[in-house]
Amino acid sequence: MERGVSMGTPIEADPLILSAGMSHRTVTERILALADQSGSKAAVIDAVDGTVTAWPRLGWTIRAAARGLSRRGLAAGDTVGVFVQDAASFVIAVNAIRAAGATALPIRPDASVANVAVQLNAGGARLLITSAPLAGLAAEAADRSRVRQVFAFGEAAGTTPFRSLLAVAEHGAGPHGADTGGQPGGAGPGSTGPGGAGPGSTGPGGAGPGDMTGAAEGAAGELTSLDGRAGLSHRDVVVAGPPCGGGHAYTSLLDLTLLTGATIVAAPVPLVTAAMRVYKGTAAIVPGGTTVPGLSPDRIFTVALPRSGYPSPEVDASCCAL
């Protein structure tokens, strides 16, 4: 059964998780709690360069980036554009934004300059996070919008390195868990010290339950429903293609993957099949129309655009159509 969902709106600051054992915690709070409990297990792997980000490092990076964004003037309720080319950067950017109490506005990496600018203006974004290969487009779109600063994963002229958001937290933060790689995000030690608060905090590092709205609770219900249909577990390895659709469904699928303790392998579409083989993938999140040989259809989550066009997508996997 397939059902299209309009997803052209920004992702709310951080939906509550209402299922058993996660009551009154937001998605990002729960992800941070898992980061504190999961030891050296891989949370995210970059299939392009082989970088492995263990759970403690992921938690440290999210908290540190949230603190850095707040120190750069990001306030609760603000909107930040997310225009990145891979799932690894997407996970870090969206969770850091939500941890700072702000709203993430995902933009597909294949969007035109004009479309990026339109979405930034419509969302009222003042900050934009991008990837180095997209930095030229991002800077051009920023010039046509109210965006005042562009952060980039990697080095790119005219942008501020995303790793600069981590610099304050990196100072004096001792190793606190396994650290198995460098990028994405230029993260430092997997520290739970400087850089963010733990679960239940209302400062950078986790929005408190008091900040949640009815819409956020609805999003949590959607995640719970999706969980029942997807059937993921901590043993799964989910190969995720680049950001696709309008952002909401893609984000929900990545959130669910992390909340179940599964590992995300970020891969561009041409490398999805190879990544499935190399990392023994058990499920995939891919743009509509992408085939994944050898994988059961009920383990392929495809995020596609409806016939009505950009940017409202629909999820059309047989197992978990939203």
Side-chain angles (χ1 to χ4, degrees):
M1 180 178 69
E2 299 180 5
R3 179 163 62 89
V5 176
S6 174
M7 299 171 187
T9 55
I11 301 167
E12 292 302 321
D14 207 353
L16 281 168
I17 293 297
L18 304 178
S19 59
M22 294 188 275
S23 179
H24 305 305
R25 283 187 175 182
T26 68
V27 170
T28 298
E29 283 176 341
R30 181 60 181 171
I31 288 170
L32 291 174
L34 285 171
D36 295 338
Q37 301 163 5
S38 298
S40 60
K41 183 178 186 288
V44 181
I45 300 172
D46 187 330
V48 174
D49 62 13
T51 296
V52 178
T53 301
W55 272 99
R57 188 186 184 94
L58 178 65
W60 184 90
T61 304
I62 291 168
R63 288 172 167 134
R67 182 64 57 87
L69 286 167
S70 295
R71 293 190 178 192
R72 296 290 183 122
L74 184 66
D78 286 351
T79 298
V80 182
V82 180
F83 181 50
V84 297
Q85 67 174 5
D86 61 274
S89 300
F90 190 92
V91 164
I92 291 171
V94 168
N95 279 288
I97 292 163
R98 295 191 305 198
T103 296
L105 175 63
I107 301 172
R108 287 163 52 107
D110 60 353
S112 66
V113 170
N115 198 285
V116 175
V118 166
Q119 293 191 68
L120 291 172
N121 283 319
R126 296 301 180 93
L127 298 177
L128 177 60
I129 298 175
T130 191
S131 302
L134 300 174
L137 293 174
E140 230 185 301
D143 287 342
R144 302 187 193 182
S145 72
R146 290 175 289 176
V147 167
R148 63 177 184 265
Q149 190 165 16
V150 179
F151 296 95
F153 287 93
E155 301 292 334
T159 67
T160 302
F162 185 86
R163 68 172 181 274
S164 68
L165 296 172
L166 315 179
V168 174
E170 209 161 30
H171 242 5
H176 205 93
D179 175 9
T180 59
Q183 297 287 334
S191 171
T192 54
S201 168
T202 55
D211 298 328
M212 298 304 103
T213 64
E217 293 186 6
E222 183 180 82
L223 261 184
T224 303
S225 173
L226 180 61
D227 185 17
R229 286 174 284 171
L232 294 175
S233 79
H234 67 281
R235 296 182 181 87
D236 280 302
V237 175
V238 180
V239 176
C244 45
H248 179 85
Y250 183 78
T251 305
S252 293
L253 288 166
L254 292 181
D255 281 343
L256 179 62
T257 301
L258 290 175
L259 289 170
T260 57
T263 296
I264 293 172
V265 176
V269 171
L271 293 183
V272 165
T273 300
M276 291 290 299
R277 183 178 64 255
V278 171
Y279 295 100
K280 297 180 172 55
T282 58
I285 302 169
V286 292
T290 305
T291 59
V292 186
L295 193 60
S296 171
D298 66 354
R299 304 291 284 175
I300 303 172
F301 312 134
T302 59
V303 184
L305 292 176
R307 292 186 181 89
S308 57
Y310 196 93
S312 298
E314 60 188 0
V315 174
D316 56 22
S318 59
C319 70
C320 60
L322 292 181

